Amino acid sequence: MEIIQIVGLGLIATVLILIIKEQKPMFAFLLAAFTGILIFLFLVGKIASVIEVLENLAQRSGVNMIFLKTILKIIGIAYIAEFGAQIVRDAGQESVASKIELAGKILIMVMAIPIITVIIETVVKLIPG
Amino acid sequence: MDWLSGWLKTVVALILLATFIELMLPTSKMQRYVRTAMSLFILLTLLSPVLEITRKGWDPGKLLAAAQLEQNQQGLRAAGAGGSSGLKSVSPPAEPASLEAVLQQSDRLKAENQRQAQRLLEEDLAAGMKQELQQQTVYPIRELRVTTELGGKANPSVTRVQIVLDEPDSPAGSPSPSSGGSGTAAADAGGNGAGSTGAGDLPQTGPIAQIEPVAPVARVEISTEPIGGTASGGPADPAEASAAAGRLTAAQQEASARLVKAIQLGWQVDPTHISVQWTKERTKL
């Protein structure tokens, strides 16, 4: 049933935005942004359950919890960056959107830097001389 | 093995996690980056055993040398314990004895066991022979000794049968020379030797042991006492015969020959290995 709620919300928001866009483009943008945030908040509970399952799996199989935390952080960065970039793109600021996406990519790579360091160190130590 | 299963579980779980997360990604724009990060995680997990080795600063050469040193010390300690220990001392249980020491001890125990078995076999054989032979001769058997030898494959063979017979010293007990007189001789000697048999008997009078296969022996060793001058035997004075040590009457010769033959037939012992001795000594009459 939730999918119907979300789709209904999206349809109503779209109609409203189309109506309001002629008179007040500013409000149309705000409406779009808030609709997006609302849908996202709808999904937060579901994402939490998925993450719980993943954590359970990782704990049971002995995956390092630092790994899991880093992975979840990467996912969060990806979601937020995508969300922000799309809203900005909707507002017509393509260049700002691409900058947000770039920031998201770089932050993801920063998250992976410790792992890269460890791997490189290991390989260097393994090679004699 | 425990470590390996844990490692495998981690790898599998991480790959599953990566798949889930890839599905959760909002758009495909970020996918490349997230994929790279996930692959790095998986690589790190796969490398974790190697990582542990390098982190602890292990050097293969140093590790090997340490292991060898420890082994050598253990071997020396065990060898010292084995060398200093006597026949009955057991190496201390705190430290495991070396293989060499254990083998030495097992050899000792095996030899002792074999000796005991041999002695038991000899005693049983002697008892059985004595019981059987006593029925065939009128002279009381004072002692019967069997010597066996363990050949290859631990097959015992009789190397020597020594029979000591009591020499009749009373004129009445002397058997008549004729073979037909054995009946009277038996009657005479029976009364004579009844006491001595009881007295001079060896303690082992158990049931006849099961006869073991006896290998033929090639060595010839006749140790029958030389025949005395009384070859004619019959008319010889029994008192004189008994008085002269080493001299045998014809009846005695015949008796010993019969005994030898009985042993040969009954026990399949080479007659050359059977020695019959006569003794005059009487402990009790």
Side-chain angles (χ1 to χ4, degrees):
Chain A
M1 287 315 276
E2 279 150 341
I3 188 69
I4 294 171
Q5 286 179 345
I6 288 166
V7 170
L9 186 72
L11 282 174
I12 293 166
T14 312
V15 170
L16 286 177
I17 287 164
L18 284 177
I19 293 167
I20 216 169
K21 210 175 188 178
E22 305 298 316
Q23 284 83 28
K24 299 274 183 183
M26 182 63 193
F27 281 109
F29 163 70
L30 279 176
L31 200 59
F34 276 111
T35 310
I37 289 168
L38 209 64
I39 292 172
F40 196 74
L41 286 177
F42 252 117
L43 293 178
V44 161
K46 305 294 162 196
I47 289 172
S49 68
V50 170
I51 285 170
E52 202 177 316
V53 167
L54 289 182
E55 258 178 357
N56 199 1
L57 177 82
Q59 229 165 13
R60 218 186 291 168
S61 57
V63 172
N64 200 339
M65 284 323 267
I66 296 169
F67 282 6
L68 191 75
K69 274 181 189 167
T70 314
I71 289 166
L72 292 180
K73 272 183 197 169
I74 286 171
I75 298 229
I77 288 168
Y79 263 100
I80 291 165
E82 194 80 32
F83 186 74
Q86 271 174 358
I87 289 176
V88 172
R89 197 169 285 136
D90 278 351
Q93 302 298 319
E94 186 67 36
S95 60
V96 177
S98 66
K99 294 298 179 292
I100 289 174
E101 274 178 358
L102 177 73
K105 287 166 189 173
I106 285 170
L107 283 176
I108 288 172
M109 290 331 282
V110 166
M111 284 286 153
I113 276 176
I115 308 161
I116 296 172
T117 322
V118 170
I119 289 170
I120 289 172
E121 267 179 21
T122 310
V123 171
V124 166
K125 268 185 194 169
L126 273 181
I127 297 167
Chain B
M1 263 334 200
D2 225 24
W3 160 84
L4 187 68
S5 76
W7 178 67
L8 272 175
K9 240 196 269 180
T10 309
V11 170
V12 170
L14 205 65
I15 289 167
L16 274 176
L17 209 68
T19 318
F20 266 118
I21 279 160
E22 218 161 85
L23 282 174
M24 276 170 70
L25 274 179
T27 54
S28 56
K29 267 186 186 167
M30 290 285 180
Q31 208 168 32
R32 271 170 55 209
Y33 299 87
V34 173
R35 228 181 229 179
T36 311
M38 284 310 302
S39 70
L40 282 174
F41 275 117
I42 293 170
L43 187 65
L44 191 66
T45 312
L46 287 174
L47 276 178
S48 62
V50 183
L51 197 76
E52 210 154 301
I53 288 173
T54 53
R55 191 175 292 164
K56 282 180 180 169
W58 284 349
D59 187 21
K62 241 189 271 174
L63 276 176
L64 271 177
Q68 210 162 22
L69 187 73
E70 196 180 349
Q71 205 171 18
N72 280 347
Q73 276 175 348
Q74 226 169 31
L76 275 175
R77 240 181 289 137
S84 67
S85 69
L87 263 169
K88 282 179 184 171
S89 83
V90 181
S91 56
E95 47 193 350
S98 75
L99 182 67
E100 209 176 332
V102 170
L103 280 178
Q104 266 179 5
Q105 201 164 6
S106 88
D107 277 351
R108 265 204 314 269
L109 289 174
K110 217 187 282 175
E112 205 171 321
N113 202 7
Q114 219 165 35
R115 265 205 309 280
Q116 271 181 358
Q118 202 176 350
R119 211 173 55 224
L120 197 69
L121 170 71
E122 283 171 4
E123 281 174 4
D124 273 358
L125 263 176
M129 275 189 192
K130 188 172 181 180
Q131 215 168 34
E132 199 149 299
L133 290 177
Q134 189 62 77
Q135 295 168 358
Q136 303 197 11
T137 181
V138 295
Y139 301 107
I141 296 170
R142 175 183 284 273
E143 204 177 339
L144 200 152
R145 216 175 279 140
V146 179
T147 313
T148 59
E149 195 175 65
L150 289 182
K153 297 275 170 199
N155 249 346
S157 60
V158 176
T159 53
R160 194 176 161 82
V161 178
Q162 210 172 9
I163 307 164
V164 180
L165 291 164
D166 271 346
E167 209 171 317
D169 56 353
S170 66
S174 73
S176 62
S178 64
S179 58
S182 66
T184 57
D188 286 342
N192 214 354
S196 78
T197 319
D201 220 359
L202 280 180
Q204 69 266 19
T205 49
I208 297 171
Q210 196 180 357
I211 302 167
E212 307 227 356
V214 178
V217 188
R219 204 148 49 86
V220 174
E221 185 186 32
I222 305 176
S223 50
T224 313
E225 295 252 323
I227 303 161
T230 58
S232 52
D237 191 4
E240 182 200 316
S242 63
R247 291 189 162 197
L248 298 177
T249 62
Q252 284 173 335
Q253 271 179 53
E254 195 195 337
S256 32
R258 216 172 41 225
L259 281 182
V260 167
K261 190 146 192 177
I263 292 175
Q264 190 188 352
L265 285 176
W267 307 84
Q268 272 133 35
V269 178
D270 202 304
T272 54
H273 291 278
I274 305 165
S275 77
V276 182
Q277 287 173 350
W278 295 84
T279 179
K280 219 172 57 171
E281 188 197 342
R282 291 271 177 112
T283 48
K284 274 177 199 170
L285 193 67

